Amino acid sequence: MTTELDHLEVKGLGVSFDGFKAVDGVDLTLRQGRLHFLIGPNGAGKTTLVDALTGLVKGTGHAQYRGRDLLSLKSHQVVRAGVGRTFQTATVFEELSVLQNLDIAGGVHRTAWSMVLARRKVPSYVEEALETIGLSDLRHRPAGVLAHGQKQWLEIGMLLVQDAKVMFLDETVAGMSAEEREETGELLRRIGPDRTIVVIEHDMDFVRTFADIVTVMHAGKVLTEGTVAEIQANHQVQEIYLGRSAEGAAHA
Ligand code: ADP
Ligand code: MG
């Protein structure tokens, strides 16, 4: 059931780098159960917004989630509060197996004692995550030999075992094949109903297929928000983003 508590409510978020406002007064309501896409040209402030919400850069304003303000938490406290993110470059441990990567990620919620116990057997939540991301058969492979798409799914699996209820996926489908993108979209639909998922993406076909709601950022601000049809019909969006995208000029 979706309750007010499951909303992440961002109000007046700002991030400055030496006086330059990379994020400038952003209001956002992120609701559980819908795939929320964040688009906008390179440099719009998308990654910085996520950095601020996950304790990696200092943000001003408020970001209320389950009775706490995320902006007052350190990054490890943000993870424990159930908020996770991926990075534009993959962060899996390449020399470790798929299973080991998941085990380490799951460690954030476990005590040292339960980690010792867990060695005997693959914990059920890891087994579940493997199944969900479709990597059950590759569990003993070193993450470094996985295909690009599989690595990204492993990262999503790492958020699943962390029990992240809010997930920010920063250009996760960039560089994926059409099939990988399709599978990723299906994966997000499977895990989406119980979670608040925000996907940063440039590929408009992917956005059109999977977005429930789209927020367009430009120069640190929210330009507009709506359904795919609504944002595509918006002249300003066409001018600053979609037009360029159509010409292949807007890229990560
Ligand atoms: P996006 O993810 O939308 O492409 P970013 O959030 O990465 O945009 O960047 C927004 C703006 O903030 C850019 O102008 C970028 O150069 C600037 N920026 C990002 N991180 C830093 C930093 N650590 N120091 C100074 N400027 C930064
Ligand atoms: Mg970015």
Side-chain angles (χ1 to χ4, degrees):
M1 200 183 74
T2 305
T3 66
E4 282 302 306
L5 280 180
D6 295 311
H7 293 185
L8 170 49
E9 196 77 45
V10 178
K11 284 255 186 276
L13 179 63
V15 178
S16 290
F17 297 113
D18 289 328
F20 167 71
K21 291 181 178 174
V23 176
D24 189 5
V26 166
D27 296 339
L28 268 183
T29 301
L30 305 173
R31 291 202 172 85
Q32 184 184 316
R34 58 182 194 183
L35 292 181
H36 198 129
F37 278 62
L38 187 55
I39 70 171
N42 196 14
K46 306 178 299 293
T47 296
T48 304
L49 177 139
V50 175
D51 287 347
L53 295 177
T54 54
L56 293 184
V57 300
K58 172 118 198 64
T60 54
H62 297 283
Q64 293 294 328
Y65 179 64
R66 295 186 167 175
R68 310 171 82 172
D69 193 331
L70 297 181
L71 301 186
S72 68
L73 304 182
K74 301 211 182 333
S75 58
H76 68 277
Q77 296 171 316
V78 171
V79 173
R80 276 201 229 112
V83 178
R85 59 91 57 89
T86 64
F87 291 86
Q88 276 180 251
T89 46
T91 54
V92 298
F93 295 104
E94 304 245 319
E95 68 284 5
L96 299 182
S97 71
V98 167
L99 201 51
Q100 286 168 324
N101 269 282
L102 291 173
D103 203 36
I104 288 169
V108 295
H109 287 299
R110 263 184 279 142
T111 61
W113 176 240
S114 70
M115 280 179 93
V116 172
L117 290 177
R119 294 244 164 77
R120 296 182 195 160
K121 193 172 164 283
V122 177
S124 59
Y125 61 88
V126 171
E127 199 66 61
E128 252 173 63
L130 277 168
E131 193 70 33
T132 305
I133 61 177
L135 296 183
S136 293
D137 295 344
L138 301 177
R139 65 180 67 197
H140 298 303
R141 287 282 165 84
V145 306
L146 296 178
H148 175 70
Q150 292 170 332
K151 268 187 210 170
Q152 301 297 321
W153 301 332
L154 176 55
E155 296 228 14
I156 293 173
M158 290 161 78
L159 298 181
L160 290 173
V161 298
Q162 280 172 20
D163 203 21
K165 293 296 189 207
V166 180
M167 292 184 182
F168 294 101
L169 305 177
D170 199 351
E171 304 199 15
T172 293
V173 307
M176 283 189 186
S177 68
E179 295 92 292
E180 286 175 329
R181 279 201 292 271
E182 185 68 25
E183 286 197 44
T184 304
E186 297 301 336
L187 167 60
L188 298 182
R189 278 190 179 153
R190 282 200 297 282
I191 65 176
D194 300 333
R195 295 181 176 80
T196 301
I197 299 182
V198 180
V199 186
I200 296 176
E201 190 39 52
H202 286 287
D203 183 288
M204 281 311 292
D205 285 335
F206 186 73
V207 175
R208 264 189 291 275
T209 311
F210 293 104
D212 293 316
I213 181 151
V214 183
T215 300
V216 185
M217 275 186 79
H218 178 54
K221 297 183 193 304
V222 172
L223 184 71
T224 185
E225 183 176 285
T227 63
V228 174
E230 284 163 354
I231 67 118
Q232 282 186 308
N234 181 302
H235 291 296
Q236 259 182 310
V237 175
Q238 286 171 6
E239 223 163 274
I240 67 132
Y241 187 64
L242 295 176
R244 293 175 55 204
S245 185
E247 292 156 24
H251 283 298

